[in-house]
Amino acid sequence: MTLLILGIESSCDETGVALVETRADGQVPALLSHALHSQIEMHQAYGGVVPELASRDHIRRVLPLATQVLGESGKSLADVDVVAYTRGPGLAGALLVGAGVACALGASLGKPVLGVHHLEGHLLSPFLSADPPEFPFVALLVSGGHTQLMRVDGVGRYEILGETIDDAAGEAFDKSAKLMGLGYPGGPALSKLAEQGDATAFKLPRPLLHSGDLDFSFAGLKTAVLTQAKKLGDDLEVRKADLAASTEAAIVEVLVKKTLAALKQTGMKRVVVAGGVGANRHLRKHLNEACAKNKVRVHYPELHLCTDNGAMIAMAAAMRLESGQQQASTEYAFDVKPRWPLDSIAPVVA
């Protein structure tokens, strides 16, 4: 028996809708279609995400995107077996839009609904790629709000090995970019500028690189970037590419070395990288080289699925249902969890 799952993502500044279908032969569920609307242009004038505007835009976008996805896949609402949505973490108002639409659709169709953890969606998104991973593996979950290393033994079987104690890697990219006067979103702008710079131009700190544990800290790096920018003064404009490249190099070195340490600690030979920063070319290049030397397989989501999207929510729902970790429900009352630790959705693996 196969299931057709409609997934809705609305946790922050992207509205995503997708259709994923499970397979009777036990293979990885298949992505039939997906559509995504980014609010970047709307938020650029404010230099960051405005929660109220984000929520209102999700309201406008989600149903037209659902119509688009159904049309492209040749399916109808009547064909949908489960409606999945992002329950958290994220912006409360934005989450409520997706949850409300999903539960209303489920109730109108008489079909069950399922709330999905946003980070689990990212974590399982590489299963949507042409080269899906196999369990178990070490996961580097690296995005604007989260930087974590995890041991993943199966769906819902997660152990956090290390995480950031302050700014996440994505925050370090965005805040450093803002200090340099780059546009929003800062991370991609900094990475693009870094391509023209010298990564060895400035000696920036690599926080917790030799801490002996797997935790991260990027707040000190942001402070060092601010200090260096002030030192440059009027010369910042001509040295900006060098500072961007040096900043990116510092972040990437920490991510790569901590990931290798996690692989050594667990004895695993497979790593999955997920989250928006996983699209960073410099990170992929250096992690690929390091993993090749250590005979480790590395997996990423497809580039267009690194950001928040409905496909990862539908996939996570499909894999939870197939593994028996969760059942969809016809209880249409809903709540959302703006703060929701990933390891709280299932017992921590010992």
Side-chain angles (χ1 to χ4, degrees):
M1 176 183 173
T2 62
L3 291 175
L4 184 64
I5 299 165
L6 180 70
I8 298 173
E9 155 62 21
S10 68
S11 65
C12 191
D13 59 348
E14 275 130 352
T15 315
V17 180
L19 276 173
V20 163
E21 189 170 42
T22 62
R23 299 182 182 183
D25 57 7
Q27 292 185 24
V28 175
L31 175 62
L32 301 186
S33 61
H34 79 101
L36 183 70
H37 174 77
S38 173
Q39 300 175 0
I40 286 176
E41 187 174 339
M42 180 178 69
H43 294 296
Q44 277 178 333
Y46 306 95
V49 177
V50 181
E52 178 65 19
L53 294 180
S55 302
R56 290 176 180 272
D57 199 61
H58 287 309
I59 294 171
R60 288 193 291 268
R61 307 291 179 179
V62 64
L63 290 179
L65 289 174
T67 300
Q68 178 184 336
V69 162
L70 289 164
E72 290 175 352
S73 65
K75 303 289 185 180
S76 69
L77 274 176
D79 297 320
V80 173
D81 296 301
V82 176
V83 184
Y85 62 94
T86 304
R87 190 181 178 196
L91 300 175
L95 291 167
L96 285 168
V97 174
V101 170
C103 291
L105 277 175
S108 67
L109 297 169
K111 298 295 176 67
V113 297
L114 190 151
V116 172
H117 196 294
H118 177 79
L119 297 183
E120 185 172 40
H122 275 303
L123 185 65
L124 299 177
S125 61
F127 284 93
L128 291 160
S129 71
D131 180 30
E134 295 177 1
F135 298 113
F137 53 78
V138 165
L140 172 64
L141 184 58
V142 56
S143 66
H146 300 86
T147 301
Q148 296 176 326
L149 279 165
M150 284 177 286
R151 176 187 176 119
V152 179
D153 288 286
V155 178
R157 300 169 61 200
Y158 313 130
E159 177 189 4
I160 295 179
L161 303 173
E163 57 189 335
T164 185
I165 60 177
D166 43 52
D167 287 356
E171 287 178 290
F173 272 110
D174 290 339
K175 291 179 179 179
S176 297
K178 191 171 184 178
L179 293 172
M180 295 179 210
L182 302 178
Y184 170 84
L190 186 148
S191 295
K192 185 175 182 180
L193 181 61
E195 294 176 4
Q196 306 167 30
D198 177 5
T200 64
F202 300 102
K203 190 175 181 180
L204 296 175
R206 272 68 169 162
L208 299 187
L209 185 62
H210 304 292
S211 62
D213 57 33
L214 298 175
D215 288 332
F216 299 89
S217 171
F218 292 104
L221 174 61
K222 174 196 66 181
T223 302
V225 172
L226 174 61
T227 300
Q228 188 62 62
K230 286 181 176 179
K231 281 184 181 179
L232 287 170
D234 294 339
D235 291 332
L236 175 60
E237 196 59 38
V238 295
R239 300 294 307 280
K240 195 178 288 186
D242 288 341
L243 185 56
S246 299
T247 303
E248 181 179 59
I251 296 170
V252 167
E253 183 178 349
V254 172
L255 293 175
V256 170
K257 291 193 174 179
K258 291 277 186 176
T259 300
L260 292 177
L263 287 163
K264 184 177 180 180
Q265 179 178 307
T266 60
M268 291 190 181
K269 290 294 184 181
R270 189 182 302 273
V271 63
V272 159
V273 182
V277 181
N280 182 276
R281 292 180 182 178
H282 197 65
L283 174 60
R284 290 194 176 207
K285 176 179 181 293
H286 285 267
L287 188 59
N288 286 343
E289 290 173 353
C291 286
K293 288 180 182 178
N294 289 274
K295 297 182 179 178
V296 171
R297 287 289 308 278
V298 58
H299 301 264
Y300 306 91
E302 304 293 351
L303 280 172
H304 67 285
L305 295 177
C306 284
T307 58
D308 298 346
N309 61 83
M312 71 183 196
I313 301 305
M315 173 61 83
M319 295 183 72
R320 288 190 73 78
L321 290 168
E322 284 191 323
S323 65
Q325 286 286 329
Q326 193 171 349
Q327 291 185 338
S329 170
T330 52
E331 173 58 59
Y332 301 116
F334 62 89
D335 64 354
V336 295
K337 294 190 173 187
R339 295 180 180 274
W340 191 10
L342 179 57
D343 58 345
S344 71
I345 67 174
V348 175
V349 179

